[in-house]
Amino acid sequence: MKAPRACGIDFGTSNSTAGWSRPGLPVLLPLEGDKTTLPSVVFFHAEDEHVSYGRAALADYLAGYEGRLMRSLKSLLGTSMIDDHTEVAGRALPFRDLLAQFIGELKRRAEKAADQPFSQAVLGRPVFFVDDDAAADRRAENTLAEIAHAVGLKDIAFQYEPIAAAFDYESQITREELVLVVDIGGGTSDFALVRLSPERARKADRRDDILASGGVHIGGTDFDKYLSLASVMPTLGLGSLLQSGLQVPSAQYFNLATWHTINQAYSRKSWSQISEIRRDAADKYKLDRLQNLVRERAGHWLAMQVEAAKIALSGTSETAMDLGRIAPGETLTLHRPDFDNAISELVDTVARTVMALLQEAGIKVGDLDTVFFTGGSSGVPLLREQISALLPQARSVEGDRFGSIGAGLALDAARKFG
């Protein structure tokens, strides 16, 4: 059987993959050494204009090289920022070009690993790029399509990410199942209710098998943000008082807690505002930490510490977070209950979205056979516990958190393009 000429591309908020369906061989292609995931990160070196990607970009940033780190690029789709630009090495870089640069690199690495060019691809997309705004959602998909064409993909199709994950799970089962796919990614939570079986997998048109799909713009980066605002940013002054008795303004803290706005805290205007706040603060020590953070351009470093703490709290009851770069010798102990409290409203929203999906499809809770969890943040304990409690009779199956979508997109690409 001849290998297809099309690939599947999962451009993710936190990590990206590329898949190529070939009989008897692994679907996901190695993109960075032997790793099949490429963190969706770009680092622009200031001195020699070199650009690094993925783990190498993170390593360069953490090593202290002068430059600009950009992460959570996908979050720009569907926002007004996509038509704006940012400053890199003294020049204006349009955000569209930034996304094209990363997706082009992702395509080049996939082609190198496959030892063949790809001009056709199925791209994953969340069920909603933007909640409750159909026009903005269409613009987001159109923007991604334009970027895909610009980097050399002539023929493209889109597939909802949870449905792609369903196709991956379907390749592993032996009987028909009614499956709820729960895909908790970096930027969105997406769901699909699908009838799957080995026989149905041979159908070219699967529309009748998809009973419902939905999603909400909540993901792992939101869990990071709310954990940061609840437990970390207060150590830098959030919630503390000015000498007047008013609370310290919160805008800079929200920028620093949100991956795609961290760089806004480094502007001259922001530095001036922080200096003014520090002058008027009742607790100047906490504002000294904030100034150290911005002076050292360590916002992404701190966000990585928060992300690591979130991951640790998914497996343990407490963890110590390093603050050494902004407060030498200091650590901050974070506890699972604090994390749960910080994200409880987000998890409630995700759970309500799941129940609304079942009601929309006219499916009773007891009719479900399987809940298939995928996505990097699907292991957050509070989220797993709440969804499992809503669907007690369904068995829980964990897929490849970072690879199920890319593998399913590759299977879909083989069906669509041959």
Side-chain angles (χ1 to χ4, degrees):
M1 182 178 176
K2 188 177 180 182
R5 305 289 291 181
C7 67
I9 292 178
D10 175 23
F11 169 46
T13 301
S14 300
N15 291 278
S16 296
T17 63
W20 185 32
S21 181
R22 299 156 294 165
L25 292 172
V27 176
L28 294 179
L29 295 166
L31 299 175
E32 191 170 18
D34 61 351
K35 301 288 194 301
T36 56
T37 57
L38 181 69
S40 304
V41 185
V42 183
F43 184 71
F44 296 90
H45 288 253
E47 294 181 0
D48 56 7
E49 297 189 358
H50 170 66
V51 181
S52 51
Y53 300 87
R55 293 170 187 82
L58 292 170
D60 288 348
Y61 170 75
L62 292 173
Y65 287 102
E66 287 292 322
R68 183 81 181 272
L69 186 77
M70 306 292 289
R71 190 175 178 182
S72 286
L73 311 178
K74 186 178 180 180
S75 300
L76 296 165
L77 292 168
T79 73
S80 59
M81 288 178 67
I82 193 64
D83 293 316
D84 205 343
H85 65 273
T86 188
E87 186 177 316
V88 174
R91 62 185 177 88
L93 176 67
F95 283 121
R96 285 175 180 263
D97 291 357
L98 172 63
L99 266 64
Q101 199 160 339
F102 180 81
I103 294 172
E105 180 67 17
L106 179 62
K107 175 177 178 285
R108 283 189 292 275
R109 292 184 183 215
E111 290 173 335
K112 182 178 179 181
D115 194 26
Q116 73 153 39
F118 290 118
S119 61
Q120 299 172 313
V122 173
L123 277 67
R125 58 150 294 167
V127 175
F128 300 115
F129 281 106
V130 182
D131 293 341
D132 302 319
D133 191 335
D137 192 79
R138 282 194 301 274
R139 286 196 299 273
E141 182 178 291
N142 290 340
T143 298
L144 187 53
E146 290 164 4
I147 290 170
H149 289 309
V151 302
L153 290 168
K154 296 179 182 177
D155 301 311
I156 63 167
F158 285 97
Q159 182 58 268
Y160 290 141
E161 290 158 359
I163 291 175
F167 292 158
D168 178 50
Y169 176 61
E170 188 175 50
S171 69
Q172 307 164 35
I173 62 177
T174 58
R175 62 178 180 83
E176 179 162 309
E177 297 182 22
L178 178 58
V179 179
L180 173 69
V181 178
V182 176
D183 168 27
I184 313 297
T188 59
S189 294
D190 294 296
F191 316 98
L193 191 60
V194 194
R195 294 194 186 279
L196 303 174
S197 73
E199 293 73 30
R200 292 175 186 272
R202 291 192 283 269
K203 293 165 53 180
D205 187 344
R206 301 300 302 274
R207 281 176 292 185
D208 291 343
D209 297 334
I210 301 165
L211 305 186
S213 60
V216 63
H217 210 262
I218 293 172
T221 56
D222 298 291
F223 297 153
D224 295 346
K225 175 180 177 177
Y226 278 71
L227 175 60
S228 182
L229 290 171
S231 298
V232 181
M233 291 300 157
T235 70
L236 307 182
L238 178 63
S240 64
L241 300 179
L242 299 172
Q243 294 174 20
S244 65
L246 297 174
Q247 278 202 348
V248 165
S250 62
Q252 303 302 334
Y253 300 101
F254 276 81
N255 281 341
L256 287 165
T258 307
W259 273 106
H260 64 278
T261 59
I262 288 172
N263 286 311
Q264 293 181 19
Y266 303 150
S267 69
R268 291 179 182 176
K269 181 179 178 181
S270 292
W271 177 257
S272 176
Q273 290 173 343
I274 291 168
S275 298
E276 185 176 336
I277 293 167
R278 193 266 177 198
R279 187 177 61 247
D280 296 337
D283 186 345
K284 292 185 176 5
Y285 177 67
K286 290 181 178 179
L287 271 296
D288 287 341
R289 285 177 170 175
L290 178 62
Q291 284 191 316
N292 288 343
L293 179 76
V294 174
R295 185 184 296 110
E296 295 295 319
R297 291 180 172 256
H300 289 94
W301 170 84
L302 185 64
M304 282 186 256
Q305 307 309 307
V306 175
E307 182 182 34
K310 173 194 71 177
I311 294 169
L313 289 172
S314 293
T316 187
S317 61
E318 67 176 50
T319 188
M321 198 181 97
D322 176 28
L323 295 179
R325 191 163 170 181
I326 57 172
E330 293 191 31
T331 61
L332 175 66
T333 300
L334 301 176
H335 301 88
R336 171 82 66 78
D338 297 327
F339 178 40
D340 289 348
N341 289 335
I343 66 170
S344 61
E345 290 187 15
L346 300 178
V347 172
D348 287 346
T349 300
V350 170
R352 286 196 299 271
T353 305
V354 167
M355 295 310 294
L357 187 77
L358 295 178
Q359 291 170 5
E360 174 193 333
I363 296 296
K364 296 178 181 177
V365 167
D367 294 336
L368 270 183
D369 296 306
T370 304
V371 181
F372 182 69
F373 289 97
T374 188
S377 291
S378 63
V380 169
L382 182 66
L383 184 142
R384 290 287 281 264
E385 291 163 7
Q386 198 149 326
I387 291 179
S388 295
L390 290 172
L391 310 169
Q393 295 177 326
R395 70 188 187 110
S396 294
V397 175
E398 183 165 321
D400 181 339
R401 288 189 194 173
F402 300 102
S404 288
I405 293 171
L409 291 171
L411 293 171
D412 202 30
R415 292 192 191 113
K416 283 185 165 71
F417 294 112

